[in-house]
Amino acid sequence: MKSDNKQRALTQLQRRILSLDLAPGQALDEVVLCQQYGLSRTPLREVLQRLAGQGYVQLTMHRGAHVSSMDMVTMRNFFQTAPMVYAAISRLAVEHASADQLVTLKKIQMRFRRAVSNAAVADMVEQNHRFHEAIGEMAASPYLSPSLERLLIDHTRMSHRFYRSALSGANSQVDVACDQHDRLIAAIEKRCVSGAVAETLAHWELSRVEIDKYVQPDALPFDVLETADASESVG
Amino acid sequence: MKSDNKQRALTQLQRRILSLDLAPGQALDEVVLCQQYGLSRTPLREVLQRLAGQGYVQLTMHRGAHVSSMDMVTMRNFFQTAPMVYAAISRLAVEHASADQLVTLKKIQMRFRRAVSNAAVADMVEQNHRFHEAIGEMAASPYLSPSLERLLIDHTRMSHRFYRSALSGANSQVDVACDQHDRLIAAIEKRCVSGAVAETLAHWELSRVEIDKYVQPDALPFDVLETADASESVG
DNA sequence: GTCTGTCTTTTTGTATACATGTTGTATACT
DNA sequence: AGTATACAACATGTATACAAAAAGACAGAC
């Protein structure tokens, strides 16, 4: 069946973009992708259009598809928009979450925890993405979901170095994030709006600080010889 | 040039959906649209994919394209989401609006006023849509814009009867809305965030009340004989 | 009379050939 | 030597033919 290939191409390309295997701004060659996924150009182009609609890639006339870039302008917008949307999504999730969805969410969180204990960076990143995606699905908001998805695309791509810091650091922030996930699940299960929103904002703040550190990292110590692994822990 | 046809098809379909010329839920026949816009199926299908990405239509496997429907579930979500997004967009618009964009916005508002004085309902609806779309463009937020666009699609489609009420009513609410647009422009021009947000929320409230009235209209008077045009003014 | 299974018709999905536009390169001219 | 222009190579956009799937019609069984 060919529509399987199509679905697979869509999912795989999303994954490759989120994992930075396909770098922001990178050009995508239709013919190459056709061969990789066993599709002819027509359905592959439909996949690219879908990805463009979701914000993963950018299409320009006669110039093909490029992986969405993350420039400084969008960064500012990201910080302005993310907490509001995340909080709103959590609020709606509390209202609408079904028992099935909670089960799914807990499963994802289990996989996330396992990835953390295995120190599997790529897996952490992916499961964290899926965690927040699942909460977005709970919110069941056709209006807000597209914004959440776009935020998550860039947030996930920025989070790689955050999770990489878990490898070296002993008391890593990743464990804190993991606990926040648990408390968020509990709040949603108890239908506690204020708790869910508070936990969401705390989770955001943790992430924001880490990203901030990267954008404006601590000055290197004067004694340069001892800094070899210090730069790692900045994450 | 054929890409003109493609662009035209995209714009026209958007317009026809917003004007309710294409009703919510209505099926779209690819072949018919191909003939109407002078395109072959491949590019037309790309147009439909684009429209799906923007939320105008919904695509289902082996079942073609349908104009996005407006059911009760989405209505609730609409009321929950709209004020927050509208306020946030206005806030960002104040921050980012360029002189050129302000000129454009004023032009649209002029056309809107003209449509109001001409009692041209379809034109009012369209210019109002473009007005809020222009503010969305000012906000320059790749994350929030998709949500705004989706909200506007449904808001515009719901607003038809509101503007139709301007035809009969003497002291119509449409004039109030028009003045609110002017004050919003002024607030953006003065870079006054609080003013812009306040005006936006007032504008929303006006609209919300009207939609509410339609969803849950006033009970008809007991003296049924005198109600012939009373139902019109509810609009 | 209604339900169900199969065949026909219609519509959607895919592959491929062809047209059009863009990019890089080589050559000629300033 | 540097720049502009023409041409070639390549990538994207479009049309059309073909394959597959769904919807509808019809006949037969219960």
Side-chain angles (χ1 to χ4, degrees):
Chain A
M1 207 179 191
K2 290 303 165 101
S3 73
D4 286 352
N5 276 355
K6 208 167 149 182
Q7 188 57 44
R8 197 169 59 85
L10 187 75
T11 315
Q12 278 290 353
L13 283 171
Q14 288 173 339
R15 190 192 307 259
R16 290 176 65 187
I17 289 169
L18 292 175
S19 71
L20 296 177
D21 176 36
L22 297 172
Q26 183 174 338
L28 299 175
D29 188 315
E30 293 181 358
V31 184
V32 172
L33 294 176
C34 284
Q35 293 168 343
Q36 283 182 0
Y37 297 112
L39 293 167
S40 73
R41 280 183 55 222
T42 309
L44 184 104
R45 281 167 64 85
E46 295 202 351
V47 168
L48 291 177
Q49 302 253 350
R50 289 277 256 289
L51 289 171
Q54 296 171 349
Y56 284 89
V57 307
Q58 201 169 359
L59 299 177
T60 21
M61 275 290 259
H62 303 294
R63 212 152 301 180
H66 290 250
V67 177
S68 290
S69 57
M70 295 193 296
D71 47 30
M72 282 298 140
V73 179
T74 63
M75 281 284 279
R76 178 172 171 79
N77 252 296
F78 177 81
F79 284 108
Q80 285 180 310
T81 312
M84 180 185 73
V85 173
Y86 288 167
I89 288 283
S90 288
R91 189 180 292 272
L92 291 171
V94 169
E95 182 179 333
H96 294 115
S98 75
D100 281 0
Q101 289 173 327
L102 264 165
V103 171
T104 303
L105 189 65
K106 286 175 183 172
K107 273 188 198 156
I108 295 171
Q109 169 66 355
M110 269 177 53
R111 280 199 281 270
F112 179 56
R113 268 206 181 282
R114 193 159 58 231
V116 171
S117 45
N118 292 351
V121 174
D123 203 16
M124 283 188 242
V125 172
E126 182 179 343
Q127 299 307 330
N128 179 66
H129 184 88
R130 293 188 55 194
F131 181 87
H132 292 286
E133 221 172 30
I135 292 176
E137 207 161 308
M138 285 176 172
S141 174
Y143 302 106
L144 217 50
S145 289
S147 282
L148 177 71
E149 281 168 38
R150 277 150 214 267
L151 286 165
L152 284 181
I153 290 169
D154 287 352
H155 203 157
T156 295
R157 295 197 291 182
M158 285 190 276
S159 72
H160 281 260
R161 62 180 304 102
F162 172 68
Y163 288 110
R164 205 153 49 229
S165 77
L167 296 179
S168 51
N171 57 347
S172 158
Q173 300 287 51
V174 174
D175 296 321
V176 178
C178 208
D179 293 343
Q180 288 172 335
H181 280 197
D182 282 330
R183 285 197 295 274
L184 180 52
I185 293 174
I188 293 171
E189 197 161 21
K190 285 188 303 186
R191 309 278 173 194
C192 173
V193 171
S194 60
V197 169
E199 209 57 55
T200 299
L201 291 177
H203 194 48
W204 159 252
E205 191 58 19
L206 177 70
S207 185
R208 188 191 65 71
V209 168
E210 290 298 316
I211 297 169
D212 256 9
K213 277 194 210 158
Y214 175 54
V215 174
Q216 188 171 349
D218 295 333
L220 291 173
F222 300 106
D223 188 349
V224 184
L225 290 175
E226 298 178 17
T227 63
D229 54 356
S231 66
E232 266 306 297
S233 66
V234 165
Chain B
M1 205 179 195
K2 289 304 165 97
S3 74
D4 286 352
N5 276 355
K6 207 167 150 182
Q7 187 56 45
R8 197 170 59 84
L10 186 76
T11 316
Q12 278 288 8
L13 282 172
Q14 288 174 338
R15 190 192 306 260
R16 289 176 67 186
I17 289 169
L18 293 175
S19 71
L20 297 176
D21 176 36
L22 297 171
Q26 183 174 337
L28 299 175
D29 189 315
E30 292 181 0
V31 184
V32 171
L33 294 176
C34 284
Q35 293 168 342
Q36 283 182 0
Y37 297 112
L39 292 168
S40 73
R41 280 184 54 223
T42 309
L44 185 102
R45 280 166 65 85
E46 295 204 350
V47 168
L48 290 177
Q49 302 251 351
R50 289 277 258 289
L51 289 171
Q54 297 170 350
Y56 284 90
V57 307
Q58 200 169 358
L59 299 177
T60 23
M61 277 289 262
H62 303 294
R63 213 151 300 178
H66 290 251
V67 177
S68 290
S69 58
M70 297 193 295
D71 48 29
M72 281 300 140
V73 179
T74 62
M75 282 285 279
R76 177 173 171 78
N77 252 296
F78 177 80
F79 284 108
Q80 286 180 309
T81 312
M84 180 185 72
V85 172
Y86 288 168
I89 288 285
S90 288
R91 188 179 291 273
L92 291 171
V94 168
E95 183 178 333
H96 294 115
S98 74
D100 281 359
Q101 290 173 326
L102 264 165
V103 170
T104 303
L105 189 64
K106 286 176 184 172
K107 274 188 197 153
I108 296 171
Q109 169 67 353
M110 269 177 54
R111 281 201 280 271
F112 180 57
R113 268 206 182 282
R114 193 159 59 233
V116 170
S117 45
N118 292 351
V121 174
D123 203 16
M124 282 188 244
V125 172
E126 183 179 343
Q127 299 308 329
N128 180 67
H129 184 87
R130 294 189 53 193
F131 182 87
H132 292 287
E133 220 171 29
I135 292 176
E137 208 161 308
M138 285 176 173
S141 174
Y143 302 106
L144 217 50
S145 288
S147 282
L148 177 71
E149 281 168 38
R150 276 148 214 266
L151 287 165
L152 284 181
I153 290 170
D154 287 351
H155 203 157
T156 295
R157 295 197 292 183
M158 285 190 275
S159 72
H160 281 261
R161 61 181 306 102
F162 173 67
Y163 287 110
R164 205 153 51 231
S165 77
L167 296 180
S168 51
N171 57 347
S172 157
Q173 300 286 53
V174 174
D175 296 320
V176 178
C178 207
D179 292 343
Q180 288 173 334
H181 280 197
D182 282 328
R183 285 197 294 275
L184 181 52
I185 293 174
I188 293 171
E189 198 161 20
K190 285 188 303 186
R191 309 279 174 193
C192 172
V193 170
S194 60
V197 169
E199 209 57 56
T200 298
L201 291 177
H203 195 48
W204 160 253
E205 191 59 19
L206 176 70
S207 186
R208 188 191 64 72
V209 167
E210 290 298 316
I211 296 169
D212 256 9
K213 277 193 210 158
Y214 174 55
V215 173
Q216 188 172 349
D218 296 333
L220 290 175
F222 300 107
D223 188 349
V224 184
L225 291 177
E226 297 177 19
T227 64
D229 53 356
S231 65
E232 267 306 297
S233 66
V234 166

